């Protein structure tokens, strides 16, 4: 069986597992462990592997419930959607205040922050039924002491614990709960995984895409708070302060650098879409203000609007889901899409943030590496900054979590990840002022990094040298490239015409219950207007008339019964 089969196994819908997933599942089944740590590169399909274990343990009665712990709210929804596709109902809307969920669900999806706020509640839930706990991106349990302590308290009594991560390394020395550490020859404790599947093997197997990094340098000029004008060339040796300010000038939406890079990335996207019609692009921005400004640049470049996802937007998950299912070109997000969010059609990225920690960089690039079929290539545009160049050249490096050592120098490693992931409403500031004012920022194409090598020479945006790389494959004559891409596009369109119309997707259990609750609340509101009775009184009367628990714990069938009852009331003069 090919390791890359089936094409979209990572969605949790595939009837068969990829080779690595089957190997890891077989290992798990032989050991029957209480704790298991699986490390697999982003895009390899950890969700499918985990859900296969859930299905097996539920069917054999080893567990009666499952709790999935994620770093973000959006990932709760994503896990519930994936689980629904394999017949496992997960409640992603569970709140600590509920205490319990509907019997319709096999389990809940919660966040690490949610656990830390009420670990005793989750411990009681874990003790009540034999539970499998899945820790998605387990390294986040070390983000804060309260998170780690909460996870330990809540899930110490769990029947089984399955820890997953694509980027296990952290630079702090906080032990990650339920992870095994062993001393090496020098007495240093390192994390030990039960199964590991790195980017290098995944790339060789065709499970993930190769990534081409396109680096852009340029001339920057800015005015400091003291009124001094400074000029520097991004991509040349600079002091730490010069580099930081030149980097910020490049990312400033008021300058030309980011506009020129977005324009180049859009040309690359157009080339990719000749053979991958639904390919999309993502800009990872630093803060809300610049994200909106980048979206304006994209509209000016493409004539189309970009989907903008901000970390405080209650519709963020819905927007990401809609973008994932669409053919829209551009998504602009503030950091929150850097980890775990599955949008397999993302093929082009712009790394427009000054965050340079290895963990954040690996997570960000992980959004583009998910392979759907052999031959697809990811392209990531980024500033020509030594730190990023080094990270891009070390894509295949694998690291363990290391304890018993001093922290690195500030800014040089990933202990700043928590700050990097924090919601940002405004640009980073010193005091109450911007540290400088951008006067000029012009981009130049610097080089391409691929498979540890560097290719290309400096060139102006729009030059034939730049187009050689934006129009890859560049080893063919223009006529040959055009003929080849046209044929592939023709094949894609023909295959699409021959495919049967897709069936209307069924609602996942959590979506069905949410819709029914919304319908019931609307009817209760109408009855309130008709009778003047408070909403709570109406809900209480419905509960007395139909039986069952409060609406937060009611099953879909129970909610439907209450809808029918209030509709019956509405046909009578009085109830």
């Amino acid at each position: 069986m090919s390791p890359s089969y089936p094409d979209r196994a990572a969605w949790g819908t595939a009837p068969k597992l990829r080779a690595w997933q089957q190997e890891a599942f077989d290992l798990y089944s032989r050991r029957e462990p209480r704790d298991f740590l699986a490390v697999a590169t982003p895009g390899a399909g950890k969700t499918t592997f985990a859900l296969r274990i859930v299905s097996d343990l539920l069917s054999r009665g080893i567990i009666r419930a499952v709790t999935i712990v994620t770093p973000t709210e959006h990932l709760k929804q994503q896990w519930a959607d994936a689980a629904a596709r394999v017949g496992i109902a997960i409640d992603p809307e569970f709140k600590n205040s509920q205490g319990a969920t509907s019997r319709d669900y096999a389990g809940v999806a919660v966040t690490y922050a949610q656990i830390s706020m009420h670990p005793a509640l989750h411990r009681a839930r874990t003790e009540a039924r034999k539970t499998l706990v899945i820790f998605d991106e387990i390294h986040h349990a070390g983000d804060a002491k309260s998170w780690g302590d909460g996870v330990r308290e809540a899930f110490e009594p769990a029947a089984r614990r399955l820890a997953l991560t694509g980027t296990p390394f952290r630079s702090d020395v906080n032990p990650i709960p339920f992870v095994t550490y062993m001393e090496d020859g020098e007495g240093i404790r390192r994390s030990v995984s039960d199964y590991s599947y790195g980017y290098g093997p995944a790339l060789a197997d065709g499970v993930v895409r190769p990534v081409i990094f396109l680096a852009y340098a340029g001339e920057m000029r800015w005015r400091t708070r003291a009124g001094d004008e400074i000029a520097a060339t991004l991509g040349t040796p600079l002091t730490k302060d010069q580099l930081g300010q030149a980097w910020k000038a490049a990312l400033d939406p008021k300058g030309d650098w980011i506009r020129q890079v977005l324009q180049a990335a859009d040309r690359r996207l157009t080339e990719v879409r000749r053979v991958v019609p639904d390919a999309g692009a993502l800009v990872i921005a630093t803060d809300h203000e610049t994200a909106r400004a980048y979206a304006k640049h994209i509209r000016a470049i493409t004539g189309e609007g970009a989907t903008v996802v901000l970390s405080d937007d209650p519709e963020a998950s819905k927007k990401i889901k809609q973008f994932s299912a669409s053919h829209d070109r551009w998504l602009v997000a503030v950091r929150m899409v850097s980890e775990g969010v599955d949008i397999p059609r993302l093929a082009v990225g712009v790394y427009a943030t000054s965050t340079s920690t290895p963990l954040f960089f690996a997570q960000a690039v992980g959004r583009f590496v998910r392979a759907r079929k052999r031959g697809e290539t990811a392209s990531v545009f980024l500033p020509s900054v030594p730190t990023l160049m080094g990270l891009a050249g070390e894509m295949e490096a694998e690291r363990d979590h290391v304890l018993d050592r001093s922290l690195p120098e500030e800014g040089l490693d990933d202990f700043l990840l928590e700050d990097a992931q924090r919601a940002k409403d405004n640009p980073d500031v010193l005091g109450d002022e911007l540290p400088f004012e951008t006067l000029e920022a012009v981009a130049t194409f610097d080089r391409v990094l691929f498979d540890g090598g560097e290719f290309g020479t400096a060139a102006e945006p729009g030059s034939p040298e730049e187009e050689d790389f934006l129009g890859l494959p560049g080893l063919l004559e223009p006529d040959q490239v055009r003929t080849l891409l046209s044929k592939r596009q023709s094949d894609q369109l023909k295959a699409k015409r021959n495919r049967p119309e897709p069936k209307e997707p069924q609602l996942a259990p959590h979506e069905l219950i949410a819709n029914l609750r919304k319908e019931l609340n609307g009817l209760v509101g109408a009855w309130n207007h008709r009778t003047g009775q408070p909403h709570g009184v109406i809900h209480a009367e419905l509960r007395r008339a139909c039986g069952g628990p409060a609406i937060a714990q009611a099953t879909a069938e129970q909610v439907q019964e209450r809808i029918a009852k209030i509709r019956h009331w509405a046909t009578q003069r009085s109830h």
Side-chain angles (χ1 to χ4, degrees):
M1 177 173 62
S2 166
S4 60
Y5 179 86
D7 288 342
R8 299 183 73 134
W11 284 100
T13 60
K16 296 182 181 179
L17 298 178
R18 289 171 170 165
W20 83 263
Q21 293 165 336
Q22 187 65 55
E23 185 178 51
F25 175 75
D26 291 344
L27 177 65
Y28 185 91
S29 300
R30 287 196 304 272
R31 291 184 179 177
E32 294 281 353
R34 187 181 183 197
D35 287 292
F36 192 89
L37 171 61
V39 178
T41 190
K46 292 184 290 294
T47 301
T48 294
F49 162 69
L51 291 176
R52 179 68 182 87
I53 289 176
V54 174
S55 296
D56 177 66
L57 296 182
L58 284 173
S59 67
R60 293 194 289 130
I62 304 297
I63 60 168
R64 299 294 181 186
V66 59
T67 297
I68 301 167
V69 191
T70 75
T72 66
E73 290 291 326
H74 175 77
L75 289 178
K76 297 195 306 183
Q77 202 79 31
Q78 188 167 285
W79 271 94
D81 290 342
R85 287 191 285 269
V86 292
I88 302 170
I90 297 296
D91 181 5
E93 304 295 341
F94 177 80
K95 295 178 174 55
N96 288 349
S97 58
Q98 290 177 219
T101 189
S102 167
R103 293 197 311 272
D104 283 344
Y105 295 116
V108 300
V110 294
T111 64
Y112 288 100
Q114 195 173 341
I115 297 300
S116 70
M117 288 188 287
H118 203 333
L121 164 69
H122 295 279
R123 184 184 182 95
R125 293 187 69 255
T126 303
E127 290 175 330
R129 292 196 292 174
K130 291 188 295 184
T131 301
L132 165 68
V133 183
I134 297 174
F135 299 106
D136 188 18
E137 303 297 348
I138 181 65
H139 54 269
H140 281 288
D143 278 354
K145 189 174 186 299
S146 63
W147 286 23
D149 291 345
V151 163
R152 285 190 185 89
E153 179 182 347
F155 301 119
E156 188 278 329
R160 296 283 182 94
R161 292 180 290 254
L162 174 61
L164 307 172
T165 183
T167 48
F169 51 90
R170 295 181 54 82
S171 292
D172 56 34
V173 292
N174 294 327
I176 300 172
F178 311 123
V179 169
T180 300
Y181 292 87
M182 293 185 65
E183 288 190 6
D184 60 16
E186 299 177 355
I188 304 297
R189 289 177 294 167
R190 295 180 179 272
S191 62
V192 178
S193 62
D194 296 283
Y195 187 88
S196 181
Y197 187 62
Y199 176 78
L203 183 62
D205 289 342
V207 169
V208 294
R209 297 168 177 159
V211 182
I212 299 170
F213 293 96
L214 297 100
Y216 280 73
E219 298 297 324
M220 310 296 152
R221 190 164 57 89
W222 63 91
R223 181 182 292 115
T224 67
R225 285 186 295 170
D228 298 326
E229 288 192 14
I230 299 177
T233 301
L234 196 65
T236 61
L238 299 172
T239 66
K240 182 178 179 180
D241 288 342
Q242 286 176 329
L243 177 61
Q245 295 195 349
W247 191 347
K248 287 189 176 183
L251 300 181
D252 190 337
K254 299 183 183 70
D256 285 336
W257 189 94
I258 188 65
R259 181 186 58 79
Q260 291 169 323
V261 170
L262 288 172
Q263 195 166 35
D266 190 68
R267 291 203 301 277
R268 177 67 183 144
L269 177 62
T270 296
E271 196 64 43
V272 173
R273 284 170 72 106
R274 294 183 188 277
V275 290
V276 186
D278 69 337
L282 164 67
V283 184
I284 298 178
T286 298
D287 57 70
H288 294 185
E289 183 179 323
T290 55
R292 295 187 181 97
Y294 293 165
K296 290 181 180 177
H297 281 315
I298 290 169
R299 177 175 286 280
I301 292 166
T302 67
E304 301 176 16
T307 298
V308 180
V309 178
L310 305 178
S311 51
D312 61 354
D313 184 355
E315 297 291 307
S317 291
K318 183 179 179 181
K319 287 181 179 179
I320 292 172
K321 191 172 182 179
Q322 288 174 342
F323 180 84
S324 182
S326 74
H327 277 55
D328 295 347
R329 294 175 70 91
W330 280 94
L331 173 69
V332 182
V334 178
R335 291 172 172 173
M336 67 171 294
V337 184
S338 66
E339 180 178 53
V341 175
D342 287 321
I343 309 176
R345 69 187 189 87
L346 286 178
V348 175
V350 178
Y351 194 88
T353 172
S354 56
T355 305
S356 59
T357 68
L359 183 52
F360 185 89
F361 185 84
Q363 292 167 353
V365 175
R367 299 317 98 216
F368 306 97
V369 301
R370 185 181 300 285
R372 298 184 296 177
K373 64 178 181 181
R374 283 190 174 273
E376 292 184 344
T377 301
S379 303
V380 176
F381 292 70
L382 71 177
S384 188
V385 173
T387 305
L388 298 183
M389 298 299 97
L391 295 174
E394 297 171 359
M395 271 290 290
E396 297 184 21
E398 298 176 28
R399 308 182 188 186
D400 295 320
H401 184 204
V402 180
L403 302 180
D404 310 315
R405 60 174 173 76
S406 60
L407 293 175
E409 293 182 32
E410 182 178 355
L412 295 182
D413 219 321
D414 47 71
F415 69 96
L416 295 177
L417 179 66
E418 186 176 354
D419 176 70
Q421 296 282 31
R422 195 173 61 235
K424 295 291 183 76
D425 297 316
N426 299 298
D428 296 328
V429 297
L430 296 177
D432 297 323
E433 306 171 78
L434 286 172
F436 65 94
E437 175 190 359
T438 301
L439 301 177
E440 183 180 15
V442 179
T444 57
F445 175 75
D446 188 7
R447 52 191 149 151
V448 168
L449 291 87
F450 178 70
D451 194 25
E454 297 183 3
F455 310 87
T457 57
E460 294 300 315
S463 67
E465 291 83 4
E466 182 195 42
E467 291 294 338
D468 281 342
F469 293 101
L470 298 182
L472 291 175
L475 297 178
L476 302 174
E477 294 295 326
D479 288 344
Q480 293 174 310
V481 173
R482 194 176 302 111
T483 301
L484 178 59
L485 295 178
S486 296
K487 182 178 183 303
R488 290 181 179 177
Q489 184 180 25
S490 176
D491 290 343
Q492 288 263 346
L493 294 173
K494 183 178 179 181
K496 185 177 181 181
R497 286 196 297 268
N498 292 337
R499 279 200 299 266
E501 286 295 320
K503 295 181 180 179
E504 189 71 17
Q506 291 186 339
L507 290 177
H510 64 276
E511 293 174 319
L512 174 62
I513 288 184
N515 288 347
L516 289 171
R517 288 173 180 168
K518 184 176 180 180
E519 182 181 355
L520 178 59
N521 287 331
L523 292 170
V524 167
W527 191 251
N528 161 262
H529 286 297
R530 179 172 172 177
T531 65
Q533 288 181 303
H535 288 226
V537 172
I538 299 170
H539 277 292
E541 288 191 19
L542 284 170
R543 188 175 173 186
R544 281 196 295 270
C546 302
I551 189 171
Q553 287 82 40
T555 66
E557 183 178 354
Q558 290 167 335
V559 178
Q560 286 173 325
E561 187 178 357
R562 294 177 198 183
I563 289 172
K565 175 61 70 175
I566 197 170
R567 288 189 186 281
H568 175 71
W569 290 349
T571 63
Q572 312 300 313
R573 288 183 176 273
S574 65
H575 71 286

